[in-house]
């Protein structure tokens, strides 16, 4: 299981990854390596902290690339030798001044070279405990010294001699993964970091290596519709390379649905929700405190706690005995503490700090509150439900709608509606059937049991392995309209000009036939898995899929035909064809006419050929 870094302070991201590792080790008797790539000299201390909190134990190895390079003897470093020439910039380092930077315990851990003497462009040489260099990384940014082909990492032997150069971090990570792999058995790498994963997945890998991306965040910007822009530059680059992954895991069916609307129903999309690690017994209400609301989250902008605090102002006005305990740490602590003071809520809202094992808090609360801007599937919501805590949350993408049954185990409020949020909190705190809502939360959580979690992952591994030989890459596609037939009906006739069809009556039906020419890297036995869909795209609505048929004409040629009528296609819609072929997809606009948009009230369809 690969991540750029692992820290106890990262909260849900670290807990969800290590929970999965722990379940694989305990329930499936698997040896799990959790591998990280960052330069962090205190991993030994971090490892002890994670062990103390019960997040890692026997069966789980927390490994770090730089830690391994730093500690490796000559034989260990020999595993990383390659044929790339040592770059010229490395030989210039003895002519540059450097400063020593220390780790948290005061020991030297790297040299910092100022490449341009301007304080913004550097080389870093990382040190072994004995002070010798084990790796030098080109971290130059901007300026005339930029050379994308020469950025990378030089590995250095104990005697000071360079032994290997990797022109990209991804190549070095890939080599490390190869040294950790079994050459005979299937080897699965689950990337919990898309930032590093999207680069490594582009590297060539052996047939027994299977790369799986775990999506922990939504892939879309607000308003998070299927056709919204990517949520970040990293997400944009990741979405362009979806076909490279053996598996792409999302946490909810809603997330998969939005991916499929834009990128096709690919066979490498899977849904595996978080598991409920421990589930309380129904009726276990001994510790639950009346009028106590709980929040567990990082204190960062994404969590939007200013809404929860403002809502609680309304709650307290109606229920003076209500109080809110917030568990978490982060950069927004001072700002949100100031808001609590400003609203006169210091007696009712308390920041309790970070709690790595918040189970006891869920069992105390009468309601759990979530106001995030976005989530993939909030682990805290599932944990709260598993401990019988009713939930009030914003109805955001993704997760809350699949975890909350309104009126039974909690309520959903429209995103950003503080008054609705406060009203729903009061409703839960005022209910006479707290036990019933608590039992409903537990019942819902039981559908996310560990046994089901293990079964889902086992199915993913099996399918990923079986599908590896069927991977394809669509390199080009073209659809050409062959014929357009207008069908009359009882509402009137259709005027036909020599070179065009003029559709004047909105209820007319058209049957259109086109030819698709595809080019792909594939083998013959995979061609039966190809599907083509005809889509109508209109502003602010989901795509409409029109009835269509597909017939193979030759090795790379297919005939597609479809019918459409005005009641099927919205005004200002555009037509697209979508080819989905195993793990790949291509979508392009159908060249029906010369205008940017077409409307069934004023359509002019030019017949080609």
């Amino acid at each position: 299981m690969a991540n750029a870094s692992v820290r106890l302070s990262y909260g849900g991201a670290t807990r969800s990854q290590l929970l999965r590792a722990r379940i694989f080790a305990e329930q499936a008797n698997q040896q799990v390596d959790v591998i990280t790539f960052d330069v962090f000299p205190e991993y030994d201390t971090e490892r002890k902290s994670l062990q103390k909190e019960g997040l890692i134990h026997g069966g789980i190895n927390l490994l770090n690339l730089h830690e391994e390079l730093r500690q490796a003897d000559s034989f260990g470093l020999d595993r990383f030798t390659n044929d790339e020439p040592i770059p010229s910039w490395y030989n210039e380092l003895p002519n540059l001044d450097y400063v020593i930077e220390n780790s948290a315990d005061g020991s030297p851990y790297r040299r910092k070279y100022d490449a341009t003497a301007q304080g913004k462009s550097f080389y870093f040489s990382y040190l072994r405990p004995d002070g010798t260099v084990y790796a030098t990384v080109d971290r130059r940014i901007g300026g005339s010294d930029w050379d994308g082909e020469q950025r990378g990492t030089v590995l250095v032997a104990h005697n000071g001699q360079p032994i290997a150069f990797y022109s990209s971090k991804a190549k070095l990570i890939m080599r490390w993964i190869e040294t950790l792999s079994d050459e005979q058995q299937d080897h699965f790498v689950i990337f919990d970091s898309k930032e590093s994963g999207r680069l490594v997945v582009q590297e060539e890998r052996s047939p027994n290596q299977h790369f799986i991306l775990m999506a922990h965040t939504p892939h879309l910007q607000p308003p998070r519709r299927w056709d919204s822009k990517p949520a970040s530059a990293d997400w944009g680059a990741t979405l362009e390379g979806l076909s490279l992954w053996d598996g792409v895991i999302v946490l909810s069916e809603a997330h998969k649905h939005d991916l499929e609307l834009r990128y096709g129903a690919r066979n490498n999309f899977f849904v595996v929700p978080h598991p409920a690690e421990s589930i309380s017994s129904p009726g276990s209400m001994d510790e639950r405190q009346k009028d106590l609301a709980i929040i567990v989250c990082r204190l960062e902008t994404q969590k939007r706690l200013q809404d929860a605090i403002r809502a609680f102002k309304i709650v307290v006005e109606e229920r003076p005995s209500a109080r809110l305990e917030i568990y978490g740490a982060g950069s927004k602590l001072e700002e949100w503490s100031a808001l609590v003071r400003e609203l006169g809520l210091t007696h009712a809202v308390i920041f309790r700090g970070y709690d790595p094992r918040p189970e006891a808090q869920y069992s105390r609360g009468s309601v759990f509150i979530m106001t995030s801007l976005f989530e993939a599937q909030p682990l805290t919501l599932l944990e709260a439900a598993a401990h019988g805590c009713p939930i009030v949350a914003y109805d955001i993408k993704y997760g809350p709608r699949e975890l909350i049954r309104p009126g039974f185990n909690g309520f959903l409020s429209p995103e950003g509606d503080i008054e609705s949020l406060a009203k729903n909190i009061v409703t839960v705190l005022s209910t006479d059937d707290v036990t019933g809502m608590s039992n409903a939360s537990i019942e819902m959580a039981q559908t996310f049991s560990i046994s089901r979690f293990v079964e889902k992952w086992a199915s993913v591994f099996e399918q990923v392995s079986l599908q590896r030989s069927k991977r394809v890459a669509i390199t080009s596609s073209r659809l050409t309209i062959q014929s357009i037939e207008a069908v009359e009906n009882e509402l009137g006739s259709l005027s036909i000009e020599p070179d065009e069809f003029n559709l004047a009556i909105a209820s007319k039906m058209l049957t259109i036939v086109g030819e698709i020419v595809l080019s792909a890297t594939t083998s013959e036995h995979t061609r039966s898995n190809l599907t083509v869909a005809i889509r109508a795209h209109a502003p602010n609505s989901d795509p409409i899929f029109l009835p269509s048929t597909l017939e193979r004409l030759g090795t790379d040629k297919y005939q597609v035909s479809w019918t459409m009528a005005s009641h099927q296609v919205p005004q200002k819609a555009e037509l697209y064809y979508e080819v989905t072929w195993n793990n790949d997809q291509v979508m392009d606009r159908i060249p029906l006419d010369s205008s940017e948009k077409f409307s069934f009230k004023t359509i002019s369809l030019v017949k080609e050929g």
Side-chain angles (χ1 to χ4, degrees):
M1 299 180 186
N3 210 334
S5 59
V6 168
R7 302 283 193 282
L8 179 62
S9 60
Y10 288 175
T14 291
R15 288 195 299 119
S16 64
Q17 182 183 29
L18 296 183
L19 171 61
R20 185 195 326 125
R22 197 147 38 90
I23 291 172
F24 282 11
E26 293 176 347
Q27 304 293 324
N29 195 30
Q30 294 292 307
Q31 178 67 46
V32 181
D33 291 334
V34 178
I35 63 175
T36 59
F37 318 127
D38 59 330
V39 184
F40 180 57
E42 283 88 34
Y43 258 112
D44 190 52
T45 300
E46 193 70 27
R47 195 177 285 109
K48 291 176 181 176
S49 297
L50 293 168
Q51 290 171 342
K52 180 180 178 181
E53 298 298 338
L55 297 178
I56 61 173
H57 51 70
I60 302 173
N61 296 320
L62 176 57
L63 307 176
N64 175 256
L65 172 60
H66 273 263
E67 189 178 52
E68 180 158 330
L69 293 173
R70 183 167 61 249
Q71 297 174 354
D73 56 20
S74 297
F75 174 76
L77 280 178
D78 284 345
R79 295 177 299 154
F80 292 91
T81 57
N82 63 9
D83 297 327
E84 291 192 75
I86 304 300
S88 59
W89 58 259
Y90 178 77
N91 297 320
E92 299 298 324
L93 290 183
N95 300 322
L96 299 178
D97 294 330
Y98 64 82
V99 296
I100 295 290
E101 296 185 326
N102 297 328
S103 59
D105 63 4
S107 61
Y109 92 100
R110 74 179 181 184
R111 300 173 185 170
K112 178 180 179 181
Y113 299 85
D114 192 338
T116 61
Q118 296 179 354
K120 64 177 182 179
S121 184
F122 305 102
Y123 302 102
F124 293 106
S125 289
Y126 293 95
L127 307 177
R128 299 183 180 91
D130 63 6
T132 59
V133 173
Y134 70 84
T136 296
V137 178
D138 180 3
R139 290 283 300 276
R140 293 172 291 170
I141 55 174
S144 59
D145 66 339
W146 173 270
D147 184 350
E149 295 301 317
Q150 290 295 305
R151 292 169 63 82
T153 301
V154 176
L155 302 184
V156 185
H158 284 73
N159 63 6
Q161 293 299 310
I163 61 170
F165 172 64
Y166 288 86
S167 55
S168 72
K169 186 69 172 286
K171 293 182 183 299
L172 178 57
I173 293 171
M174 187 64 208
R175 182 57 174 269
W176 187 38
I177 290 173
E178 289 173 350
T179 69
L180 297 172
S181 304
D182 187 311
E183 295 182 0
Q184 304 300 321
Q185 296 181 336
D186 277 347
H187 189 78
F188 300 90
V189 184
I190 304 168
F191 284 84
D192 286 274
S193 167
K194 62 183 178 300
E195 290 81 1
S196 53
R198 67 177 176 81
L199 300 175
V200 179
V201 77
Q202 298 178 46
E203 300 295 321
E204 186 176 349
R205 56 191 185 270
S206 60
N208 72 318
Q209 289 185 319
H210 309 291
F211 284 6
I212 298 171
L213 174 65
M214 187 77 220
H216 290 278
T217 59
H219 65 287
L220 301 170
Q221 289 184 21
R224 307 191 204 285
R225 291 174 38 77
W226 71 275
D227 55 351
S228 295
K229 293 181 180 179
S232 64
D234 278 315
W235 255 124
T238 300
L239 293 170
E240 291 177 2
L242 288 174
S243 62
L244 300 175
W245 293 96
D246 298 292
V248 177
I249 311 291
V250 293
L251 296 165
S252 68
E253 292 290 345
H255 196 168
K256 180 186 177 187
H257 175 70
D258 280 352
L259 275 173
E260 290 182 337
L261 284 183
R262 171 58 186 85
Y263 300 101
R266 307 183 189 214
N267 67 1
N268 60 348
F269 288 164
F270 302 93
V271 177
V272 183
H274 287 313
E277 183 180 13
S278 59
I279 303 176
S280 299
S281 301
S284 55
M285 297 291 297
D286 295 343
E287 300 178 1
R288 207 164 302 283
Q289 298 180 16
K290 185 175 179 61
D291 282 341
L292 175 60
I294 297 291
I295 292 176
V296 178
C297 70
R298 291 178 296 111
L299 304 186
E300 302 295 346
T301 301
Q302 175 198 345
K303 304 305 180 180
R304 194 165 37 183
L305 288 198
Q306 67 272 17
D307 282 22
I309 294 169
R310 294 186 186 281
F312 218 72
K313 172 70 172 177
I314 302 173
V315 172
V316 170
E317 289 173 353
E318 186 161 342
R319 293 186 68 83
S321 59
R323 62 196 189 281
L324 169 63
E325 294 183 359
I326 300 172
Y327 293 84
S331 63
K332 305 288 282 186
L333 173 60
E334 183 54 41
E335 177 183 331
W336 287 334
S337 296
L339 178 61
V340 169
R341 293 191 296 270
E342 175 188 331
L343 297 177
L345 290 174
T346 54
H347 67 290
V349 178
I350 303 173
F351 290 90
R352 295 292 194 186
Y354 174 67
D355 185 348
R357 307 289 294 193
E359 293 85 354
Q361 315 312 331
Y362 301 128
S363 298
R364 293 172 55 238
S366 291
V367 63
F368 183 86
I369 304 171
M370 196 204 74
T371 52
S372 297
L373 288 163
F374 60 88
E375 296 285 353
Q377 184 212 16
L379 182 58
T380 54
L381 281 195
L382 185 56
E383 290 174 335
H387 289 83
C389 194
I391 302 166
V392 172
Y394 276 160
D395 188 12
I396 59 167
K397 289 186 174 180
Y398 298 98
R401 184 165 286 273
E402 296 184 20
L403 297 173
I404 298 174
R405 297 169 182 167
F408 290 91
N409 71 325
F411 294 94
L412 291 166
S413 293
E415 183 177 359
D417 191 335
I418 293 175
E419 291 187 359
S420 171
L421 188 73
K423 178 182 177 182
N424 285 332
I425 294 170
V426 170
T427 298
V428 174
L429 295 179
S430 304
T431 183
D432 294 328
D433 188 20
V434 179
T435 300
M437 295 193 77
S438 176
N439 289 344
S441 280
I442 293 171
E443 180 183 344
M444 185 281 300
Q446 288 171 343
T447 64
F448 296 86
S449 67
I450 286 180
S451 61
R452 294 190 184 186
F453 178 78
V454 172
E455 289 172 1
K456 284 180 178 291
W457 270 108
S459 176
V460 168
F461 291 144
E462 182 178 15
Q463 292 183 61
V464 159
S465 182
L466 291 173
Q467 292 174 178
R468 183 63 191 270
S469 63
K470 300 179 181 179
R471 291 173 55 83
V472 303
I474 303 174
T475 53
S476 67
S477 70
R478 183 181 73 256
L479 184 147
T480 304
I481 300 299
Q482 301 295 307
S483 64
I484 305 174
E485 178 183 355
V487 180
E488 289 191 46
N489 64 18
E490 67 279 4
L491 295 180
S493 61
L494 184 66
S495 61
I496 301 177
E497 302 299 330
D499 294 320
E500 64 180 29
F501 297 98
N502 232 339
L503 187 59
I505 297 180
S507 61
K508 289 298 178 180
M509 297 288 294
L510 294 179
T511 298
I512 304 175
V513 178
E515 182 181 89
I516 292 180
V517 178
L518 292 172
S519 176
T521 58
T522 179
S523 56
E524 181 67 22
H525 75 279
T526 67
R527 294 186 181 275
S528 61
N529 300 318
L530 181 146
T531 62
V532 175
I534 306 300
R535 308 159 54 115
H537 292 187
N540 301 317
S541 64
D542 285 351
I544 296 173
F545 292 86
L546 302 175
S548 62
T549 59
L550 182 68
E551 178 183 352
R552 185 175 179 182
L553 301 178
T555 302
D556 298 314
K557 291 184 179 181
Y558 299 82
Q559 180 176 283
V560 61
S561 60
W562 69 94
T563 59
M564 60 184 186
S566 61
H567 68 275
Q568 294 175 302
V569 181
Q571 298 297 312
K572 298 183 179 180
E574 295 179 333
L575 282 190
Y576 285 78
Y577 71 94
E578 171 193 66
V579 177
T580 305
W581 204 346
N582 288 342
N583 58 291
D584 207 357
Q585 176 249 31
V586 65
M587 185 168 63
D588 203 358
R589 188 169 178 268
I590 297 175
L592 272 180
D593 60 358
S594 60
S595 64
E596 287 298 316
K597 306 281 185 182
F598 70 85
S599 165
F600 261 91
K601 291 182 178 178
T602 58
I603 191 171
S604 177
L605 300 174
V606 179
K607 183 178 180 182
E608 296 184 3

